[in-house]
Amino acid sequence: MRLDKLLANSGFGSRTEVKQLLKNGAITVNDVRQKEAKFQVDVAQDSVEVYGETVVYEEFTYLMMNKPPGVVSATEDNWDQTVIDLLEERDRLKKLFPVGRLDKDTEGLLLISNNGVLAHNLLSPKKHVDKTYFAKIEGAVTEADIAIFRDGVTISDNYTCKSAELVILQVENGFSDVEVTIQEGKFHQVKRMFEAVDKQVVYLKRLRMGALHLDETLALGEYRPLTPDELAALTTFEK
């Protein structure tokens, strides 16, 4: 791989910024100072350093974020802060994107990556990837609602959702705590499903996506790389 591409993909700046690092003599390959952007590097064997910091090359990056409310699931936005804006500068330079979307006011599990194949497969209804949400509902959720969700809720535009699992956790003072598991990702789908049974979602948090569970130790807005076990379970959807 070209040295400038390796450094740019590893978050050390744009191609232009990387060329400046090379010009400044900041880069060594196997302890030899290197200034040629097109110099070919064996990523499996060569040791590359930037001002003494070892470059650890990864073809793809996988981050788990606990998305906060008020932030949009996009790479850029003219009005609102995006989940990419919450990343450290090194990570923002890796051309990452959110895998799927959570509504602006929805919290919880969001995978951020630059692996387009994995993203497509996780979001494809044909892959039957479960997505589980905790929701607080205005109104008393009933066994009848469970049956309707199981049979498929018809939302606006006469679209009938795939079978969904609805679990009632608690009903108290006119509000219900529930968990709902779906395999699709239509716009505002969970909210629209409850609207179809005359109820309103007042709080929504994604807990799980496929084999990936939200790390509850992450504060809102925090993120971390996936563990090897999480990554191994997740990447089975690439096949």
Side-chain angles (χ1 to χ4, degrees):
M1 180 182 297
R2 282 177 57 119
L3 180 56
D4 58 350
K5 182 178 180 181
L6 167 68
L7 294 168
N9 289 354
S10 299
F12 284 91
S14 65
R15 289 288 185 96
T16 300
E17 291 169 332
V18 165
K19 286 180 180 179
Q20 189 61 48
L21 288 173
L22 289 163
K23 183 178 179 180
N24 292 344
I27 315 300
T28 61
V29 179
N30 299 326
D31 296 324
V32 176
R33 200 166 308 282
Q34 182 56 247
K35 294 190 176 184
E36 288 293 327
K38 62 183 180 180
F39 183 82
Q40 292 294 315
V41 177
D42 183 337
V43 296
Q45 296 186 18
D46 291 334
S47 173
V48 180
E49 294 184 353
V50 180
Y51 287 123
E53 177 185 350
T54 300
V55 178
V56 179
Y57 174 72
E58 297 175 330
E59 182 179 10
F60 298 115
T61 297
Y62 305 89
L63 305 174
M64 177 195 297
M65 176 181 285
N66 186 2
K67 177 193 168 299
V71 177
V72 296
S73 300
T75 55
E76 57 183 24
D77 190 274
N78 291 330
W79 295 276
D80 294 307
Q81 186 180 38
T82 73
V83 293
I84 301 302
D85 293 331
L86 299 179
L87 302 180
E88 295 179 4
E89 182 179 3
R90 175 73 57 83
D91 291 322
R92 289 200 302 271
L93 293 169
K94 295 180 182 179
K95 299 181 180 179
L96 301 172
F97 54 84
V99 178
R101 56 172 292 139
L102 288 179
D103 296 339
K104 181 178 176 180
D105 60 349
T106 299
E107 301 177 8
L109 174 64
L110 184 66
L111 176 64
I112 298 175
S113 182
N114 49 8
N115 185 336
V117 173
L118 176 65
H120 171 77
N121 288 332
L122 282 171
L123 300 174
S124 171
K126 295 179 181 179
K127 294 291 184 176
H128 306 293
V129 179
D130 287 339
K131 304 170 187 69
T132 300
Y133 297 79
F134 169 81
K136 183 172 285 292
I137 309 299
E138 185 176 359
V141 178
T142 67
E143 292 294 327
D145 295 326
I146 292 177
I148 293 171
F149 273 52
R150 183 175 59 244
D151 293 340
V153 181
T154 299
I155 55 180
S156 58
D157 302 325
N158 295 319
Y159 177 80
T160 299
C161 300
K162 293 181 180 294
S163 178
E165 181 183 4
L166 177 59
V167 177
I168 302 171
L169 303 175
Q170 175 180 282
V171 180
E172 187 176 23
N173 298 325
F175 290 88
S176 304
D177 291 348
V178 304
E179 284 188 2
V180 59
T181 300
I182 62 176
Q183 293 183 341
E184 303 162 286
K186 300 293 182 181
F187 183 67
H188 292 319
Q189 180 171 336
V190 173
K191 296 175 183 177
R192 292 162 68 192
M193 290 169 73
F194 280 101
E195 287 172 359
V197 292
D198 300 318
K199 296 175 180 67
Q200 182 179 359
V201 175
V202 296
Y203 173 80
L204 190 61
K205 176 181 180 179
R206 184 156 66 189
L207 304 175
R208 179 173 70 92
M209 185 177 187
L212 190 61
H213 292 256
L214 176 65
D215 181 347
E216 297 284 0
T217 67
L218 289 174
L220 288 171
E222 287 187 342
Y223 67 96
R224 64 162 174 79
L226 296 190
T227 67
D229 287 345
E230 289 169 339
L231 184 57
L234 198 64
T235 51
T236 60
F237 289 103
E238 288 185 279
K239 301 174 181 179

